[in-house]
Amino acid sequence: MLIARVIGELVATYKHPSHEGLKILMVQPLNLDGTDRGVALVALDAVDAGVGDKVLVVTEGFGACTPWAGFYNPLTWR
């Protein structure tokens, strides 16, 4: 799990059916002191976050895929 700041929104011309209607965000992981950590990531929005909001990003396991159509979706497979 990462702390991150939303830095933008992305638009997709096509999404997997399990992701239709979901917002795609660009998020910048942060260190505990609020400074940038590493490179920006793409994330699906489960809480209606906006640019500038701080969010928690789940990057692996069951918690990363369950908010969207359960276990069998593209987030499950690497």
Side-chain angles (χ1 to χ4, degrees):
M1 193 176 298
L2 303 169
I3 298 172
R5 182 181 60 256
V6 179
I7 58 173
E9 294 184 14
L10 298 176
V11 176
T13 56
Y14 178 79
K15 294 181 190 176
H16 187 273
S18 66
H19 300 154
E20 285 296 325
L22 296 175
K23 190 165 46 170
I24 305 172
L25 302 174
M26 285 293 294
V27 297
Q28 175 62 55
L30 301 173
N31 291 311
L32 293 178
D33 64 2
T35 58
D36 291 354
R37 173 184 176 191
V39 298
L41 305 171
V42 175
L44 289 176
D45 184 12
V47 295
D48 200 28
V51 174
D53 289 345
K54 288 187 180 174
V55 295
L56 289 176
V57 179
V58 180
T59 57
E60 59 184 67
F62 190 69
C65 65
T66 53
W68 302 279
F71 186 73
Y72 296 103
N73 69 60
L75 295 177
T76 306
W77 314 107
R78 295 178 190 229

